[in-house]
Amino acid sequence: MNKAAIRFLGVGLFLAGAAFQIHLMVGENDQAKGDITPQAYKQAQTELKNVKNQLAQLQLDLDNAQQEQTASETEKKVETADTASNEATNSVLHIQSGMTSRDISTSLEQAGIIQNKQDFEDYLIAQDLSSKIQIGQFELNSTMTIKQIAEIITK
């Protein structure tokens, strides 16, 4: 065989391979379109309905759990409020010469009369009462408001 014949044979084999490859690619596209049979479509729809039902059930379960959690938290808040109202903390506040509003706020918070010393101190400053605090002993309890406590210690 001569060189030209071998070249033609090689080019022929290359073209035949390319033609087979093109045929397979076109055939796969046709088969992919034809794979969806009515039975496969019905099965996919059934699976989709099942998944939607499961999702709806999970959503209901989540809603119920959230409602139970909210109810539980509400009951705890009510119990805490009842306990707090039943257990009012009484204390005698001793204000001495040289004590600042910060010192008094800290004492009240430590005694359990107020929840937040910064709120009380801010109230005294905002109402211009920090310079009007009186020296002495004052009976206070935790059911009093910040305003009531301020009125008592600034009379």
Side-chain angles (χ1 to χ4, degrees), residues 26 38 43-44 56 58 62 69 72 75 81 104 109 134:
V26 171
Q43 183 179 0
L58 288 172
L62 177 62
Q69 182 179 8
S72 173
E75 288 175 9
I104 295 166
E109 186 181 53
Q134 301 295 313

Side-chain angles (χ1 to χ4, degrees), residues 34 72 148 152:
S72 173
Q148 291 170 331
I152 291 172

Side-chain angles (χ1 to χ4, degrees), residues 2 5 8 11 18 26-27 38 55 57-58 60 68 77 84 93 106 108 122 124 134-136 141 147-150 152:
N2 61 18
F8 284 123
V11 170
V26 171
L55 180 60
Q57 184 62 41
L58 288 172
L60 287 173
E68 288 175 9
K77 286 180 183 177
L93 176 64
T106 301
L108 290 171
D122 291 343
L124 291 175
Q134 301 295 313
I135 297 171
N141 66 54
K147 182 179 179 181
Q148 291 170 331
I149 295 170
I152 291 172

